[in-house]
Amino acid sequence: MSYIKVRGVEHYYEWIKKPSDVVKPVMVFLHGWAGSCRYWRSTAEALADKFDCLLYDMRGFGRSRAETQDSSKLSYELTEYAEDLAVLLNELNLERVYINAHSMSASIATLFFNRYPQKVIKGILTCSGIFEYDEKAFAAFYKFGGLVVKFRPQWLGKIPLADRIFMARFLHRPIPKAERQAFLQDFIDADYDSALGTIFTSVSKEQAETMPLEFAKLTVPTLLIAGEYDLIIPADLGRKAAVLSDKVQLEIIANTAHFPMLEDPETYLQKVRDFLGNG
């Protein structure tokens, strides 16, 4: 297992590569809220013929620590996670990369694209969009989210069918049981403060006001992939984001929801390859 210190915090990372006689470009994968990089492995393995794929667990999630060794903490603002990515790339001496980010991390990636456009060749936002602020709806979401984060006993992962029930809202098509179980365990293991903190920073009045501006000023060629039946970030929110910039190409994958790369990997990979120009 490989770890690297980023802004004083130990981050887990891994490479997925295939032997090659040529130097391949690097694609970096960012996971979504309360997940880890492991749900990206199958996608990375499929793209490893053309890319060296870098996967890592964001601060407070997966196998990455939530705080520095002296117990000080960074904030949970998405801009801070974008800075984590910038430092990670610098520490690994990666000057220009492709980026594929999912869900909450797609917002982080969008912020990164605009702050460090010189570091990004092309970007892929999987399940992203812009939303309007609704005070009552957001308050209800925070209350529910707080309860969900608070109630995560370790025995939850041992209950029969718990993984299927937990993932039902995220999926339209079935995915392998091992993937469902891994995501449930990542959710259970996520650092409490990190999971709760990013709920408040990723779904907020500030984000509702900021993200349309961020999409509008994109200069990095960007593919936005949405799932037709996504209940977490509906495809309509992706449409609203895509029309703000001629740099954004929107693709909606039929009969999928919040994990199109796992629900319909063949279609997902074809759309990604078409966008990247790699066949």
Side-chain angles (χ1 to χ4, degrees):
M1 297 178 70
S2 298
Y3 286 85
I4 189 168
K5 189 171 290 187
V6 175
R7 304 173 77 197
V9 179
E10 293 290 333
H11 281 62
Y12 170 83
Y13 74 99
E14 61 185 70
W15 285 99
I16 293 180
K17 301 180 179 181
K18 289 182 179 178
S20 175
D21 295 330
V22 299
V23 177
K24 290 183 285 188
V26 171
M27 181 175 289
V28 184
F29 292 80
L30 281 68
H31 64 81
W33 180 79
S36 79
C37 69
R38 57 183 171 179
Y39 70 71
W40 272 125
R41 283 179 184 155
S42 59
T43 305
E45 287 167 357
L47 294 171
D49 58 333
K50 299 291 186 180
F51 297 89
D52 289 338
C53 297
L54 173 64
L55 288 66
Y56 78 100
D57 290 343
M58 296 193 303
R59 173 166 44 92
F61 300 104
R63 288 140 292 188
S64 292
R65 291 178 58 85
E67 57 191 34
T68 61
Q69 291 180 338
D70 63 3
S71 296
S72 62
K73 293 185 178 182
L74 299 169
S75 85
Y76 305 113
E77 295 294 336
L78 300 192
T79 50
E80 292 291 345
Y81 280 96
E83 289 303 312
D84 288 349
L85 174 57
V87 174
L88 174 71
L89 297 182
N90 287 337
E91 290 293 323
L92 294 174
N93 297 312
L94 298 174
E95 293 185 2
R96 298 191 76 214
V97 299
Y98 293 80
I99 291 177
N100 190 346
H102 176 239
S103 193
M104 178 186 78
S105 282
S107 294
I108 294 170
T110 303
L111 295 167
F112 182 85
F113 295 170
N114 286 329
R115 282 154 182 75
Y116 300 96
Q118 74 280 5
K119 288 188 147 314
V120 188
I121 302 168
K122 287 186 176 182
I124 303 163
L125 307 177
T126 302
C127 301
S128 184
I130 58 173
F131 52 85
E132 295 180 0
Y133 176 69
D134 183 314
E135 184 176 3
K136 290 184 179 179
F138 278 36
F141 174 78
Y142 296 150
K143 183 176 181 179
F144 174 75
L147 292 173
V148 168
V149 172
K150 188 174 183 178
F151 182 74
R152 294 177 299 154
Q154 282 294 327
W155 51 258
L156 182 61
K158 298 179 174 61
I159 297 176
L161 302 180
D163 57 298
R164 189 181 296 275
I165 295 169
F166 177 75
M167 291 298 292
R169 182 169 173 78
F170 295 96
L171 303 172
H172 184 73
R173 294 187 189 183
I175 63 173
K177 181 177 181 179
E179 297 279 10
R180 298 196 308 267
Q181 291 177 326
F183 191 89
L184 175 58
Q185 194 60 50
D186 285 337
F187 167 73
I188 292 170
D189 293 341
D191 173 69
Y192 176 83
D193 289 338
S194 302
L196 189 63
T198 49
I199 282 179
F200 285 95
T201 58
S202 61
V203 182
S204 65
K205 181 179 180 181
E206 181 181 0
Q207 284 300 108
E209 294 170 348
T210 298
M211 291 313 298
L213 303 176
E214 294 290 339
F215 271 99
K217 65 182 182 182
L218 279 170
T219 60
V220 172
T222 301
L223 172 65
L224 197 165
I225 296 179
E228 180 185 14
Y229 295 112
D230 192 344
L231 298 177
I232 309 302
I233 304 178
D236 278 347
L237 302 187
R239 292 188 181 96
K240 289 179 180 179
V243 299
L244 296 175
S245 172
D246 59 8
K247 292 294 184 179
V248 179
Q249 173 186 327
L250 175 66
E251 295 287 348
I252 298 175
I253 300 183
N255 299 314
T256 65
H258 199 57
F259 285 86
M261 65 288 214
L262 300 178
E263 296 172 77
D264 187 355
E266 294 81 8
T267 301
Y268 180 87
L269 288 166
Q270 189 58 57
K271 291 186 181 299
V272 167
R273 291 188 177 111
D274 288 346
F275 171 71
L276 299 174
N278 288 316

